[in-house]
Amino acid sequence: MIRAVDQGHVGAMMMMDMSAAFDTVDHKILMDVLRRRFGVEGNALSWLAEFLNGRTQVVSAGQKESDSTTLFFGLPQGSVLGPKSFIQYAEDAASIWEQHQLCHHFYAVDMQGYSHRKPCDAHIIVSTIERCAADVST
């Protein structure tokens, strides 16, 4: 981006914090992504499915505790496997960024995309980033 500015271009960056998305990861979709995009099969895929299967959650407040609820969504954030699985799950978003021709990189639960153009084309950057954000959200 520094080189672009040196050439008289303007730039814009979109940063997305996807940490809340940890709670929305669909286990069935994650298994499909691992199989389809990363070639995880057999015992390895079964082990990962078993790791997520049957997870439960209880909410405690003071002396009160809710009933146990089975979780079909979400990844454990306190484990090494949670962030890695989320990155693999969210990696499908890379094709969206590429479709919008935005440079991008992902790190853990953060996604960043950027573009630069001549100042007279700044409106193109803005509309491209807005469309990309809508597509990633969808």
Side-chain angles (χ1 to χ4, degrees):
M1 187 71 86
I2 292 172
R3 287 189 188 127
V5 171
D6 288 344
Q7 296 172 357
H9 286 200
V10 295
M13 176 181 280
M14 172 176 51
M15 296 183 282
M16 301 178 102
D17 177 357
M18 304 297 285
S19 57
F22 259 93
D23 298 331
T24 64
V25 172
D26 184 310
H27 297 167
K28 289 179 184 177
I29 293 173
L30 175 61
M31 293 301 108
D32 180 60
V33 168
L34 291 172
R35 182 188 51 73
R36 179 177 42 84
R37 296 214 26 139
F38 297 97
V40 178
E41 296 178 339
N43 290 337
L45 190 63
S46 297
W47 182 85
L48 289 166
E50 187 62 32
F51 174 74
L52 296 173
N53 189 30
R55 297 185 75 80
T56 59
Q57 174 177 301
V58 174
V59 176
S60 297
Q63 299 296 322
K64 302 204 181 223
E65 194 171 273
S66 71
D67 293 334
S68 179
T69 302
T70 301
L71 301 175
F72 300 102
F73 301 92
L75 293 169
Q77 294 184 45
S79 71
V80 172
L81 188 58
K84 182 170 177 29
S85 296
F86 178 78
I87 289 169
Q88 292 168 328
Y89 181 80
E91 197 269 338
D92 273 350
S95 61
I96 296 170
W97 296 74
E98 290 165 4
Q99 173 188 342
H100 291 281
Q101 299 177 343
L102 291 173
C103 299
H104 64 278
H105 64 273
F106 303 159
Y107 179 76
V109 296
D110 295 318
M111 297 180 179
Q112 298 179 357
Y114 58 93
S115 182
H116 62 86
R117 290 181 178 264
K118 295 177 182 177
C120 62
D121 293 330
H123 66 283
I124 295 171
I125 298 172
V126 172
S127 63
T128 299
I129 286 178
E130 288 174 343
R131 285 191 312 275
C132 183
D135 288 349
V136 169
S137 178
T138 300

